[in-house]
Amino acid sequence: MSTACLLGYTTVPNMEKAKEIADILVAEKMAACVNIIGGVESVYYWQDQLHHDSEVCLFIKTTQQCWDKVVSRICELHPYECPAILALPLQGGYAPYLKWIQGQL
């Protein structure tokens, strides 16, 4: 299993849901840290209609080893039918911080 670090991403409809998901991911040792960024405006098509929605963004610091659990847990908690859940592999970073992420999980 890989301990390579990932940056996960998802959006939710409000701060309450963002904090709930962040708290659970960190408490259950699936994420070392989750950044919550409010005030995101998303523009997209869904069911043949153009939408403009205010959302809250989560950046999830985790590892490849934990990723499948992160996705499953977010899907359990997420109110959207098809949430955006993405993983970006980290090609670099401050080595002590990356080691800290791995040590938390």
Side-chain angles (χ1 to χ4, degrees), residues 8 24 34 42-43 49 53 58 74 78 86-87 91-92 101:
I24 288 170
V34 178
S42 295
V43 180
Q49 292 184 336
D53 290 326
L58 286 79
I74 291 172
H78 210 291
L86 305 171
Q91 299 299 313
I101 290 172

Side-chain angles (χ1 to χ4, degrees), residues 1-4 16 23 25 29 32 34 38 45 49 51 53 61 66-67 77-78 80-81 89-90 92 100:
M1 294 193 178
S2 174
T3 58
E16 181 181 348
D23 285 353
L25 293 179
K29 300 288 188 184
V34 178
Y45 268 98
Q49 292 184 336
H51 292 261
D53 290 326
K61 284 80 162 252
C66 292
W67 183 245
L77 299 166
H78 210 291
Y80 295 168
E81 182 180 335
L90 298 178
W100 174 80

Side-chain angles (χ1 to χ4, degrees), residues 1-103:
M1 294 193 178
S2 174
T3 58
C5 292
L6 298 175
L7 182 63
Y9 166 88
T10 194
T11 55
V12 294
N14 56 54
M15 190 61 73
E16 181 181 348
K17 183 54 74 173
K19 288 179 180 180
E20 175 192 1
I21 290 173
D23 285 353
I24 288 170
L25 293 179
V26 173
E28 294 180 1
K29 300 288 188 184
M30 288 182 242
C33 175
V34 178
N35 298 118
I36 299 172
I37 302 168
V40 175
E41 180 76 14
S42 295
V43 180
Y44 60 96
Y45 268 98
W46 180 250
Q47 298 180 339
D48 297 323
Q49 292 184 336
L50 183 64
H51 292 261
H52 288 257
D53 290 326
S54 294
E55 294 187 298
V56 178
C57 180
L58 286 79
F59 287 106
I60 303 153
K61 284 80 162 252
T62 190
T63 62
Q64 182 67 49
Q65 183 177 359
C66 292
W67 183 245
D68 288 342
K69 291 178 184 176
V70 168
V71 172
S72 293
R73 198 68 168 110
I74 291 172
C75 287
E76 289 172 11
L77 299 166
H78 210 291
Y80 295 168
E81 182 180 335
C82 184
I85 305 172
L86 305 171
L88 305 165
L90 298 178
Q91 299 299 313
Y94 183 55
Y97 185 76
L98 298 175
K99 191 172 196 157
W100 174 80
I101 290 172
Q102 294 166 341

